[in-house]
Amino acid sequence: MKKIIYPLIGLVGFVAIWQIVVSLGFWEENLLPGPISVVKAIGRLTAEGVLIPDIIVSLKRFVIGYFVALVAALPLGLLLGWFSTALKISNSVLQILRPISPMAWFPFVVLWFGIGDAPAVAIIAIAAFFPVLFSTISAIGKIDETYLKVAQNFEMPQFQFFYKMAIPLAFPYIMVGVHLAIGTAWIFLVAGEMVGAQSGLGYLIIDGRNNIDMEAVMAGIVVIGLIGWAIDCLMSLFEKAVYSRWGINTK
């Protein structure tokens, strides 16, 4: 029960403070719309048939880009984490590429993939790739060698050990990167839509700014935050389900 009550208290408190700041005139509402104005803007954008299609488009781009990142980063991370020589050879290149902002690749992404959904999907994939990759490498490296020795004593095939022991043992550490990648990918999805798309939540914010519709801008920001929170909660539920299946104690 506390897991629900405490976040709810924090959320209600934040919204109340926000509304009080606006109502007392500390900030003009045309510069910072209050919660009531934002709720009205969300209703207006929904009635106009704008908000829901933009949410659907953004979620579609996010799911595809994030899935591409996982498919690429998880196997590569497992491989590099397991074979230390391969990691030593590739680490310098990876460390050079990791700090580069995904948006720095945007001019090339547009040239390679054209306009439409593909550039935003590519930016999401790049943003999510490195957190998942390095958390997976680190997770495999944290596995106690005792487990490997036990498996060798029982002559367990390497693939069987990897699937039944290594991955479950590494999973909690891998999920750290997976959670981080969700936030990073969602942030850069919006950034990508702001500069290279004609639809989506990022475009909704830019369109609101161009039309000096700050209620729409704030409505887009609030929706982005709420959806990001919901995605993270869903990932937490998935994580707990996997823990339960593998018998891992999360308390």
Side-chain angles (χ1 to χ4, degrees), residues 24-115:
L24 294 178
F26 291 109
W27 240 185
E28 293 184 20
E29 192 154 4
N30 60 340
L31 299 178
L32 179 65
I36 296 174
S37 298
V38 170
V39 171
K40 290 180 180 178
I42 291 174
R44 170 169 58 84
L45 292 170
T46 303
E48 292 174 355
V50 174
L51 184 59
I52 301 302
D54 281 337
I55 290 174
I56 293 172
V57 168
S58 291
L59 285 174
K60 181 184 75 172
R61 291 167 179 161
F62 172 79
V63 169
I64 295 173
Y66 190 71
F67 180 76
V68 169
L70 292 182
V71 168
L74 285 174
L76 182 59
L78 294 172
L79 177 68
L80 295 178
W82 192 254
F83 297 103
S84 58
T85 302
L87 177 60
K88 291 175 183 177
I89 293 172
S90 59
N91 190 51
S92 58
V93 175
L94 294 174
Q95 294 296 342
I96 291 171
L97 293 174
R98 179 168 65 165
I100 300 173
S101 169
M103 294 306 297
W105 295 103
F106 195 82
F108 291 103
V109 168
V110 172
L111 289 174
W112 296 338
F113 299 105
I115 58 174

Side-chain angles (χ1 to χ4, degrees), residues 151-244:
Q152 290 173 343
N153 289 337
F154 283 95
E155 298 182 350
M156 180 183 289
Q158 194 172 69
F159 176 79
Q160 189 177 4
F161 169 78
F162 199 74
Y163 174 72
K164 291 189 174 182
M165 295 186 67
I167 293 180
L169 288 168
F171 183 78
Y173 302 102
I174 293 174
M175 287 305 299
V176 173
V178 170
H179 274 289
L180 180 61
I182 286 176
T184 305
W186 188 245
I187 289 169
F188 280 102
L189 160 70
V190 175
E193 288 179 338
M194 284 182 172
V195 296
Q198 297 297 313
S199 60
L201 293 171
Y203 175 76
L204 175 67
I205 292 174
I206 292 300
D207 188 56
R209 182 203 66 182
N210 292 340
N211 291 305
I212 319 179
D213 186 355
M214 302 314 294
E215 287 83 5
V217 172
M218 186 58 75
I221 292 171
V222 169
V223 170
I224 287 167
L226 291 174
I227 293 176
W229 182 27
I231 292 171
D232 188 72
C233 290
L234 289 173
M235 183 58 70
S236 296
L237 292 175
F238 166 75
E239 183 180 358
K240 290 178 181 178
V242 175
Y243 284 152
S244 177

